[in-house]
Each structure stands twice: as C-alpha cells, then as structure tokens.
Amino acid sequence: MGGLTAGILILSSLALLRRKEAAFPTISYKLPLWGPVLLSVGMFFLFLDLEYKAHFWRFYTAFRITSVMSWGAWILLLVYPVNGLLILITLEKGYPRFAKKLMEWIGEQNWQSWQQWAQKHSGRIAGVGILVGILLGMYTGILLSAFGARPFWNSALLGPIFLVSGVSTALALAALLSSQNEERKAYEWSDFWLISLELALLGLFLITLFSSSALYQQSVNSIMGGKWTLDFWLLVVFFGLFFPWLLEMLGRMGKNIPPAIAPILVLLGGLYFRYVILEVGQISTWIPY
Amino acid sequence: MKRYGMVIDTLKCIGCGDCVVACKTENKVPEGLCRDWIVEEVKGEYPHLQMEYRSERCNHCLHPLCVYACPTGASHIKKGTNITLVHPELCTGCKACIAACPYDARFVMPQGYVSKCTFCDHRLEKGQLPACVSVCPTHCMYFGDLNDPLSEVSQLLKRRKWKVLAPEAGTKPQVYYLT
C-alpha cells in the first residue's frame, strides 16, 4: 500500500508539475484521493504487525539516525500533508460531489483560501510530492536491504525494485479507474515499460545474489527449488509481471484484450511480490539452525 | 569501559542444559521461550566425526546491529559496558531488532516487547556471575571483563584456541568458544 501511495504521489505530482492534467485526468485528478486511503490501510496492517500495539506512539518520540525504520516512520507522517495539498488542488475536478460535501463541512471560505494557497504553490507542492513519493517508494526496499543479518534482503537493488513496482501498480490503478480508452492505453503502455524495468531489476537482483558469497547464494535456494519457488516464479514473475507485460504489449499491437485483466494482475502481483520477498528474507540467515 | 565477555570451553561442555534451566529460572522466561540454548553440531563424515556442544545466547556485540536498527531507542547499550539491553517501556514490538540480529538471539515476550540475554545484568550489579555461568556443572563457562588483561577470560583467550559465531557478520561478538 505504501508503494502504491508512493506511485500515486509521484505520478500525480509529475502531471501537475508538467501541466499534463488534460492528457492524464485520472492521474491528475482522481488518484490523489486514493493515496491517504491506501496508505492508511497499509499503516493499519503495520499497526496490526506490532507486538506491543499500545506503544505504537513511541515511534514518534524519537528519531534514530541509524534506524531505517525510524526514518520510515517520519516519512510516513510527511506523506499525509503533502498528499492532502495535492487533494486540495485536484479534488473538485476529480470527485466534485465529494469535494462539495467536504467544502460544506470545512466551510467554503476556509476551503477556498486553502485551495488558493495550494494552487499558488502547486509547483513547489508537486516537487515535494515527487521527493516524498520517491522516499516512500524506496523505503521498504531500503529498510530490508539494511538488514545485513538477512542475506536475501541485503541488496542495494531492493530499493529501486520497490520504487518501480510501486509506480507500476499506481499506473495499473490509474488504468483501472480511467474511463477514457486513449488515456487507459497510455497508462498501460507506460506500465509496459515499467514492468520491463522491474523484470530487468529483478533479474539483476537475483544475479547479484548468485554471484556473491556462499551465504547469499544459499539465500536464493528458497525460490530456486525451495518452498517459495512456485510462489515466486509462477505467481509473482509470471502472473504478476510477465503475463500483464505480454497483455499490454498485445494491446499495443491492436489485439482485443479485456482492459481490466493486466492492471488487476499488476496490482495483485505487486502485493504478492512484497509478501514473498518478506517471507524469503526472514528465513535467510547467517546461522543455519 | 568494561568489555564483558563470556568464554565457553566446548571441550568441557556436555550439553546438559543446566545453563538454560538456570537462565529460565533466574529471569522468569516464559514457557516456550529461552534466552540461551544448546546447539549440538556434528561435522565430518562417518567414521571421522566431530561433535561439539555449544551454549548460545546474545553475543553482546561491540557493533550491535540490533541497537542500530531500533527505531525508538528501546534497544540500547548499557553505559560504560557492551551489554545490550531492551527497555520494555520503549519497545513497540516492531521486530526490527529481531531481523537485524544475525544470531537470532531475540524473541517477543507474551506482553509484546522484545527480550533476550542480558548477561544477567542485575546479578552483575551485585557482584555475582550470570546465572548460567554460576550453575555450570562442568565449569566450562567463564565470564569477565575482556578489557582487563589479567581477568580469567582474557587469560583463557590468550592461552587457548577460540572462535566466535559468524565473525563475517562484522558484529564483533563477545561470546567466545574455546576449541
């Protein structure tokens, strides 16, 4: 969910910064509202994963420079105001009925003064949106790669992979939400290139593990004949990446492909990719007992 | 600064598990969890086999990745020592320290906070040895300040061959095994 929100922030901010709202209305106007909703769902699950739930607020009583998770906790807090400002700029065009209700609740004068301020600084907000989106998108990958005790995670490529995967899933969501055929095709074609990049990065990730020391080579065993082989190669790589990549290419070549299949597969594949990486990483260890 | 270290003679250890029982009793470790454990390692091929018993625990590393990974400061190093401790009241149970430890020495208590071996810090303050060391029936466990060249542990490491677990992890562990 964090990756998806990161992708939303990056894409919406890019469209705003480059004044491409007319060409990409779904990304520009509709996606920003989905950001905090999806992020909150993700944070709810993070909360559920805490063993000492009553102490969740302790994250925000300290900033530990050596702890990637501490950086992440504060980055997550940055996302909400930035995403909120993007919503303020775009909501009336994306979800006019909801915007009207919100305006009534907040007060028309307040809403308009905030909106005017946000629109005046839209360039800066979009710039910060891209930066925060990149930080959020890379965060989980960097967090995992910083755990030297888990050889499978200990790769600098995880951050970029998580970022590309997040933007790819955001494009898939935009393709699902879009009601215009041409716009949807543009998203799918962009997603085709992002999936290509993700496949290449994933390949490089595995190559770097294989060409490293014995410990790292052993860490790949779980997906190379071990317990997670089928999950990784069939569900993540084939159904989550390669198959939608193929469908998007065939769609570009003019074949009649049902439009929802590829985006749904990308979204499910992105989610399952994270699950498999987390599980495989946790069982890779320095002490084999 | 005191550099506390534990030295365990694998040639004398018989894997009786008294250290584990003593630790569980002393520290009231709940059922199903343990701060130390016994590993029985068999190497080689029959008939040329070698067996080793090791009493393992948190290594109180000089480069403690668990402390660096903790987002709240719950995992910390006790001032003036290398003893790694956990403040239960600061711990969120995020498990970052568990993922960061190459020795899998940490676990979650039923209350939700993370726990592990403390070298029986409360006993050290009273001038006593860690519970595991004090009960070992073969006297294969030694404990002391490795910064003191005259301490028993320093002398043992000077005289005998030793190893530490996963030195390549770069954590500078302070539990030594005499071989």
Side-chain angles (χ1 to χ4, degrees):
Chain A
M1 295 299 175
L4 188 49
T5 306
I8 288 171
L9 270 179
I10 293 168
L11 294 173
S12 309
S13 302
L14 266 177
L16 188 67
L17 199 65
R18 303 199 62 192
R19 316 286 342 156
K20 296 279 184 188
E21 292 99 323
F24 305 115
T26 307
I27 277 178
S28 309
Y29 302 131
K30 285 192 183 290
L31 276 194
L33 185 64
W34 287 74
V37 177
L38 293 165
L39 187 64
S40 299
V41 173
M43 284 185 80
F44 175 68
F45 281 103
L46 281 180
F47 172 74
L48 288 187
D49 190 50
L50 290 181
E51 300 289 344
Y52 213 158
K53 293 178 180 54
H55 280 185
F56 77 95
W57 53 277
R58 288 286 188 191
F59 282 107
Y60 299 107
T61 58
F63 173 64
R64 312 285 300 180
I65 200 162
T66 58
S67 166
V68 180
M69 195 178 275
S70 184
W71 283 85
W74 289 101
I75 289 170
L76 282 171
L77 271 200
L78 276 179
V79 173
Y80 283 100
V82 176
N83 204 149
L85 289 171
L86 282 174
I87 292 171
L88 203 61
I89 297 169
T90 58
L91 192 66
E92 272 184 277
K93 287 185 178 162
Y95 295 94
R97 279 162 59 191
F98 180 62
K100 201 179 165 192
K101 278 188 182 166
L102 205 62
M103 201 189 305
E104 280 167 12
W105 184 61
I106 293 172
E108 201 172 334
Q109 210 174 358
N110 282 340
W111 173 270
Q112 278 174 352
S113 64
W114 294 354
Q115 200 179 42
Q116 275 168 9
W117 183 89
Q119 267 164 352
K120 191 180 162 192
H121 297 95
S122 62
R124 285 195 189 97
I125 292 168
V128 175
I130 292 169
L131 180 69
V132 172
I134 291 171
L135 290 175
L136 179 65
M138 292 186 85
Y139 160 64
T140 311
I142 302 286
L143 171 73
L144 300 181
S145 65
F147 289 127
R150 309 291 149 192
F152 187 76
W153 290 342
N154 196 208
S155 164
L157 282 166
L158 268 190
I161 294 173
F162 273 67
L163 176 63
V164 173
S165 166
V167 180
S168 166
T169 51
L171 271 174
L173 181 65
L176 272 182
L177 293 174
S178 173
S179 51
Q180 295 173 30
N181 204 28
E182 283 308 305
E183 187 196 8
R184 199 191 66 246
K185 281 183 178 169
Y187 295 150
E188 286 186 356
W189 188 234
S190 305
D191 202 22
F192 168 84
W193 288 108
L194 279 175
I195 295 174
S196 307
L197 181 61
E198 196 179 337
L199 280 166
L201 286 171
L202 209 53
L204 285 171
F205 166 69
L206 293 179
I207 288 168
T208 53
L209 288 176
F210 270 124
S211 54
S212 192
S213 60
L215 197 69
Y216 291 83
Q217 291 170 31
Q218 284 160 16
S219 76
V220 194
N221 287 348
S222 303
I223 56 166
M224 299 300 287
K227 187 187 165 194
W228 291 94
T229 305
L230 209 60
D231 296 75
F232 181 77
W233 290 104
L234 187 69
L235 299 179
V236 174
V237 176
F238 184 77
F239 281 115
L241 292 168
F242 181 72
F243 194 51
W245 177 86
L246 196 66
L247 291 179
E248 283 166 357
M249 189 169 66
L250 290 173
R252 179 75 174 182
M253 289 162 72
K255 305 282 181 197
N256 193 18
I257 309 287
I261 295 178
I264 287 174
L265 284 175
V266 169
L267 283 166
L268 293 176
L271 189 66
Y272 205 62
F273 161 73
R274 282 158 171 76
Y275 177 69
V276 171
I277 293 287
L278 280 176
E279 289 293 323
V280 174
Q282 282 180 70
I283 53 175
S284 73
T285 178
W286 281 78
I287 308 282
Y289 45 81
Chain B
M1 185 198 142
K2 285 190 185 299
R3 179 160 68 96
Y4 285 119
M6 193 173 278
V7 176
I8 299 169
D9 191 342
T10 60
L11 301 181
K12 286 203 295 187
C13 180
I14 55 167
C16 65
D18 271 10
C19 50
V20 179
V21 176
C23 173
K24 283 178 81 80
T25 310
E26 174 70 27
N27 296 295
K28 299 180 179 61
V29 183
E31 198 180 336
L33 302 170
C34 51
R35 291 183 177 191
D36 58 351
W37 57 94
I38 301 292
V39 172
E40 179 187 329
E41 189 175 33
V42 179
K43 281 183 187 167
E45 275 183 41
Y46 181 82
H48 306 291
L49 295 172
Q50 270 190 322
M51 189 171 76
E52 179 179 283
Y53 284 114
R54 283 196 306 270
S55 173
E56 294 188 1
R57 63 197 32 71
C58 167
N59 284 265
H60 296 275
C61 307
L62 297 183
H63 186 59
L65 303 179
C66 51
V67 172
Y68 303 156
C70 178
T72 65
S75 281
H76 65 284
I77 304 163
K78 188 180 177 186
K79 208 174 173 185
T81 73
N82 60 305
I83 297 179
T84 310
L85 300 172
V86 180
H87 278 307
E89 66 274 19
L90 291 180
C91 182
T92 61
C94 70
K95 303 181 283 276
C97 57
I98 293 177
C101 174
Y103 306 105
D104 291 334
R106 290 171 169 246
F107 56 88
V108 178
M109 290 287 279
Q111 295 92 328
Y113 62 87
V114 168
S115 184
K116 61 174 220 33
C117 163
T118 61
F119 270 168
C120 280
D121 180 48
H122 60 289
R123 289 174 61 94
L124 298 184
E125 281 178 2
K126 294 181 206 160
Q128 297 171 328
L129 286 169
C132 53
V133 178
S134 69
V135 300
C136 180
T138 63
H139 299 286
C140 75
M141 301 174 80
Y142 306 87
F143 185 83
D145 180 8
L146 288 163
N147 276 345
D148 174 4
L150 298 176
S151 68
E152 191 178 22
V153 281
S154 296
Q155 292 294 318
L156 277 167
L157 295 184
K158 269 183 201 160
R159 284 203 314 268
R160 297 273 302 271
K161 281 186 182 173
W162 54 264
K163 66 176 180 185
V164 291
L165 297 179
E168 321 86 276
T171 57
K172 297 183 181 166
Q174 295 303 303
V175 176
Y176 296 80
Y177 296 93
L178 300 177
T179 56

